[in-house]
Amino acid sequence: MKKMIFLAVALLATIFLLGCVSSNNNGPPESKISVNPESWDFGQIPPEKISKTFALQNLGNTPLEIRRVSTSCGCTTASVEKKELLSGESTDFVVEFNLN
């Protein structure tokens, strides 16, 4: 069984992020996240497990807490290495497909 799967900026829709609000003197609190690469074409998926690691980075000026990671398909799993990112920090975001 082969399946064509595209992963784009919609990947962000699979994770729920909450920026923790804190007061500082550097302007209003702001949560901003970057995903690198922004998109990835897995092409024809073979019947074995494959994965891709993305880099998530907090570009905002407040800590970012990753409360939940979920996917919309039972053949897909996703996980993050760190659950809280300070301003400027990044973490690995791993997406795995298993069509078995």
Side-chain angles (χ1 to χ4, degrees):
M1 176 180 171
K2 291 185 179 180
K3 207 175 195 180
M4 180 68 76
I5 299 177
F6 293 93
L7 188 63
V9 178
L11 173 66
L12 285 177
T14 66
I15 58 178
F16 296 89
L17 303 169
L18 176 67
C20 300
V21 177
S22 64
S23 59
N24 58 41
N25 295 329
N26 299 329
E30 175 184 35
S31 294
K32 218 184 220 183
I33 192 165
S34 165
V35 179
N36 188 17
E38 287 184 1
S39 66
W40 186 261
D41 179 354
F42 282 89
Q44 294 292 323
I45 304 294
E48 65 266 3
K49 181 174 25 173
I50 62 168
S51 66
K52 174 65 180 164
T53 301
F54 296 83
L56 293 180
Q57 184 178 15
N58 180 1
L59 299 178
N61 61 13
T62 59
L64 188 67
E65 181 182 356
I66 301 171
R67 292 209 173 160
R68 188 173 120 191
V69 178
S70 66
T71 63
S72 60
C73 173
C75 62
T76 308
T77 60
S79 62
V80 290
E81 189 174 281
K82 291 175 70 175
K83 296 283 187 175
E84 185 170 338
L85 301 176
L86 299 177
S87 180
E89 283 189 321
S90 56
T91 190
D92 286 343
F93 176 62
V94 180
V95 177
E96 291 184 335
F97 290 102
N98 189 352
L99 296 178
N100 288 331

